[in-house]
Amino acid sequence: MKKISSLVLFLLSTVTAFGQSGQAIEMADTLRRDGKIWVVVATIAVSFAGLAIYLIRIDRKLNRLERVQKDNARH
Amino acid sequence: MKMIYHSWWKWTALVLIFSSIFTGLLLPVPRLAILHETIRNLYFHVPMWMGMLTVFIISVFYSINYLRTGKQEYDLASAECVKTGLFFYAMGLITGMIWAKFTWGDYWSNDPKQNSAAIGCLLYCAYMILRNSIEEEQKRGKIAAIYNIFAFPIMVVLIFILPRMTDSLHPGSGGNSAFGKYDLDNGMKVAFYPAMLGWSLVAIWIATLRYRMQLIDYNQNQVT
C-alpha cells in the first residue's frame, strides 16, 4: 500500500508542474529539485517498503503454519 | 511472549523507519567539518548497532531464563536473537566501512573502534560455532547460555567503552565531533530517535520470525 501511495504522490506532484507551463518550458519537476535528493529518498523509501512487505508476508505465512500445526496436534 | 504475535508494534516500527528515511535525508543538519552530509549516517548506521544491542540484550534475558527453568523454548529464543543480532552487527560494520572509505580514506584503517568491533564479531561467531558443535540438546543449551551471558558484557566493553577511552577517530570518540553533548542539535532528534526505536523493533521482529520458524521445526520433531 505504502509503495503505491508514495508512487501516486510523486506522480501527482509532476502533474502540478505540468499545469503551470506558460512562457518558459518548465522541466524541473519536484523529483529534480534540491540536487535530486528526492530521487534518492524515493529509491530508499521504495526499497524499504518492499522489505517491509516482505517481512509482513513472512509473518502471515508463519501465522498460517502455526495454525496448521496447532490443528494437526489437536487431531 | 504473546507480544510476538501482535502486529501493532510491527506497524509502529515500519512507520517510524519510513518517517526517518524522509526526515533523515531532507531535514537540515549541522554543518560540521569532516562529517559534511555524512552526519546523516547517524540515522542509518547507528540504528544498526542499536538493533543489534536490543536483540543481544533480549538473548541474554532468555539465556538467564533458560538456565533458571530449563525450558527449551528459551534456548531457541536466545539463539535466534543472537543470529539476528549478528546480521545487524554485519550491517553496522559494512555501513561503517563504507563511511570510513570516504572519510578516512580506507575501508579498514585499524581504528580502535573498527578493531574492537571485529573482535566482538568474532566473539559471537565463536558462540555460533560452539552452539552448533554440540549435539545433545540440554548440554548445548546450557553451554550456549552461559557463553552468551559472558559474551554480552565483553561485547559492550569492546564496542561502546574501550574505543571511547583511546584515540579513536570515530565520531563521538576522542573529542571528534558527533551528535552528542558538544553539538546537541534538537532538529536531528526528530529523525534520530524514531530511527533508533524503529530499527530496534524491526530487529526484534526478525528475531521473533526466526524464533517462530524454529519453534515450528521443534514441535514437528517432538511429534514424530
Side-chain angles (χ1 to χ4, degrees), chain B residues 104 109-114 161-176:
Chain B
W104 299 340
S109 44
N110 289 325
D111 185 78
K113 191 97 167 176
Q114 286 183 321
I161 298 172
L162 277 184
R164 263 164 221 188
M165 296 172 71
T166 52
D167 291 328
S168 170
L169 288 173
H170 191 279
S173 307
N176 283 301

Side-chain angles (χ1 to χ4, degrees), chain B:
Chain B
M1 287 281 254
K2 243 189 163 156
M3 263 283 280
I4 68 173
Y5 300 104
H6 292 173
S7 57
W8 60 268
W9 59 274
K10 296 165 187 172
W11 286 106
T12 314
L14 294 180
V15 169
L16 286 175
I17 296 175
F18 207 74
S19 81
S20 82
I21 290 171
F22 287 83
T23 52
L25 288 168
L26 298 168
L27 288 184
V29 287
R31 286 167 183 269
L32 297 178
I34 303 168
L35 286 176
H36 303 279
E37 286 282 1
T38 70
I39 196 171
R40 293 182 197 277
N41 262 20
L42 183 78
Y43 311 132
F44 304 103
H45 162 72
V46 182
M48 296 297 122
W49 297 103
M50 190 65 210
M52 175 212 73
L53 194 65
T54 311
V55 282
F56 277 174
I57 288 171
I58 294 172
S59 91
V60 169
F61 174 76
Y62 280 116
S63 282
I64 294 170
N65 265 352
Y66 174 74
L67 288 178
R68 283 196 329 167
T69 62
K71 267 190 177 172
Q72 204 63 40
E73 289 96 323
Y74 293 154
D75 176 47
L76 292 178
S78 164
E80 293 312 311
C81 280
V82 171
K83 286 177 198 166
T84 314
L86 263 176
F87 170 77
F88 279 88
Y89 209 124
M91 288 297 126
L93 268 183
I94 292 168
T95 52
M97 278 167 70
I98 295 169
W99 178 83
K101 172 71 181 169
F102 298 101
T103 317
W104 299 340
D106 225 330
Y107 289 111
W108 203 272
S109 44
N110 289 325
D111 185 78
K113 191 97 167 176
Q114 286 183 321
N115 279 345
S116 54
I119 298 167
C121 189
L122 292 178
L123 191 70
Y124 275 95
C125 291
Y127 167 88
M128 292 314 307
I129 294 168
L130 181 71
R131 191 172 187 282
N132 290 336
S133 63
I134 304 171
E135 280 288 322
E136 210 261 301
E137 255 177 21
Q138 298 206 322
K139 201 172 169 190
R140 178 177 66 197
K142 256 181 209 157
I143 292 173
I146 292 165
Y147 184 100
N148 189 31
I149 291 166
F150 279 99
F152 179 75
I154 298 171
M155 183 275 297
V156 170
V157 168
L158 275 171
I159 295 183
F160 299 102
I161 298 172
L162 277 184
R164 263 164 221 188
M165 296 172 71
T166 52
D167 291 328
S168 170
L169 288 173
H170 191 279
S173 307
N176 283 301
S177 59
F179 179 70
K181 59 175 184 277
Y182 305 110
D183 39 25
L184 189 79
D185 188 274
N186 281 322
M188 290 185 80
K189 288 179 183 169
V190 178
F192 182 56
Y193 290 146
M196 290 292 258
L197 184 61
W199 282 105
S200 294
L201 289 175
V202 161
I204 297 173
W205 186 7
I206 296 172
T208 66
L209 290 177
R210 298 193 61 117
Y211 165 68
R212 285 162 65 185
M213 232 151 51
Q214 286 290 328
L215 206 61
I216 290 172
D217 197 39
Y218 175 71
N219 287 337
Q220 202 80 35
N221 289 337
Q222 292 297 94
V223 171
T224 49

Side-chain angles (χ1 to χ4, degrees), chain A residues 38 48 59 62-63 66 69, chain B residues 5 10 205 212 216 220:
Chain A
W38 277 99
F48 179 72
D59 201 295
L62 274 170
N63 275 336
E66 278 161 353
Q69 198 171 50
Chain B
Y5 300 104
K10 296 165 187 172
W205 186 7
R212 285 162 65 185
I216 290 172
Q220 202 80 35

Side-chain angles (χ1 to χ4, degrees), chain A residues 55-71:
Chain A
L55 272 178
I56 291 166
R57 287 183 63 108
I58 295 173
D59 201 295
R60 298 239 164 105
K61 174 101 182 170
L62 274 170
N63 275 336
R64 199 161 61 237
L65 280 174
E66 278 161 353
R67 247 199 327 271
V68 167
Q69 198 171 50
K70 216 179 253 176
D71 285 349

